[in-house]
Amino acid sequence: MAIERILKDDASEEKGERARMASFVGAMAIADLVKTTLGPKGMDKILQSTGRGQSVTVTNDGATILKSLHIDNPAAKVLVDISKVQDDEVGDGTTSVVVLAGELLREAEKLVASKIHPMTIIAGLLRAFHHCIWVLSCLTSSNDQIAEKFKMDLMKIAKTTLSSKILSQDKEHFAKLAVDAVLRLKGSTNLESIQIIKKPGGSLKDSFLDEGFILDKKIGIGQPKRIENANILVANTAMDTDKVKIYGARVRVDSMAKVADIEAAEKQKMREKVDKILAHGINCFVNRQLIYNFPEELFANAGVLAIEHADFDGIERLALVTGGEIASTFDNPESVKLGHCKLIEEIMIGEDKLIKFSGVEMGQACTVVLRGASHHVLDEAERSLHDALCVLSQTVNDSRVLFGGGWPEMVMAKAVDELARTTPGKRSHAIEAFSKALVAIPTTIADNAGLDSAELVARLRAEHNKEESNAGIDVISGSVGDMSELGISEAFKVKQAVLLSATEAAEMILRVDEIITCAPRRREDRM
């Protein structure tokens, strides 16, 4: 007995088979959970939180679903992580990466059961992975030299990305929005300068792209509603000290007149601050904190537009976009960078008034205004659009493009099968397993569309055995279609990231042979 008591009382460990079993089962369960959201006919999930207000999220985005789950199984957490990374890295393919990793483990489990060492399996999987990337990179096409064609490529990629999301009904409209927004970025992957504003009301079709920057605020009373050639000072400072503010301050006075003196002094202080701010030669002042009516009146008299209580995101983005800096002291005006824009005006969207800054310094800035029936629709639309924007901005940098719709998976599966036949030893089983896992993606796409996946995938395989085939699954007609005619494209970068993350995650989980769970801390230990 003495030997077994290495770990503390409640700590548990699982060894060998059982540990591997637990990690395989957990990972596959996660994969099966998001499997149904894959592809153009994938379904959505409703996530309801148990916290205050029981907020409800309706989503199709693999990363969002997995982020919201509280998972106990350690291997499942690895899969949640890779989908998060995929979301940050390229934006799309969050579901595919989890499904692929799950399938790799499903195949690996069979191999482990037939007494092949995990390390041998890993060696085979890695060999297959490198082969896949090589095959894919040979088959990409790139049109970054010809602007028109490149824009068509981007449109196709955007439509493919959006077709599995809530925006699929108006995907022409949104693909155009996304492509226009990304082409304005001129090759930077910084999506900060594309701002997305959500306004309930109207339909998704009413969404539009507006050049310039829109701040979700109203213009104060008695201030100019329209300013041309604006110089903007963006600040984060307190403009509300026209009353004695120090809590618990006791001031003894012998008459009311003295109180009036104190207030006058306060007012004078405020007036000086406003004069300092006006000394910057500005005609628009945006503050993050509130501006009391007295300084607001002073600004209005000077003909300066003062905006108070702008949210922090708005402020940072506004400073970035207009080329200014956020200031909090105003003693030396020459060292503060002001923002500039050609026109500030008030616009109406639905019921709300907003302030629009057009002709800003950063030419690439623009705002997408999303309209929709309810907050849930808008949130999901924003996520979908964000995915599309991420993928497009990555594609602008790495312009290699592949066909979609299960075409790349079939090509890779075929290449990997051929590799398996020429590889001696046990590794070839693992390589074969990789090709089986790849085929799972077109299979799932077909399953989700309610088609006979076995039949379709067999037909696809036959098509791909001919030379130079562009065959993929056409979910709409329910048969095998030509991907180049249908215009279904994907970015090479996304596929590469999917393969890389899925292989590495599977490798990590395969290496596990023991799970040690720490004992929970007891309350009374602290005394």
Side-chain angles (χ1 to χ4, degrees), residues 21 74 145 192 235 290:
M21 190 64 208
Q145 307 308 319
E192 292 267 302
L290 87 194

Side-chain angles (χ1 to χ4, degrees), residues 56-67:
V56 172
T57 317
V58 183
T59 180
N60 183 304
D61 179 36
T64 311
I65 296 170
L66 295 180
K67 253 198 309 234

Side-chain angles (χ1 to χ4, degrees), residues 133-152:
I133 294 292
W134 177 73
V135 168
L136 275 192
S137 55
C138 297
L139 291 169
T140 54
S141 58
S142 168
N143 290 328
D144 56 342
Q145 307 308 319
I146 316 160
E148 279 305 300
K149 277 192 168 174
F150 186 49
K151 197 166 177 186
M152 284 302 297

Side-chain angles (χ1 to χ4, degrees), residues 110 181 190 221 313 342 365 455 475-476:
K110 294 175 194 162
N190 182 10
I221 301 159
D313 283 350
K342 295 214 176 68
E455 163 76 9
V475 180
I476 310 305

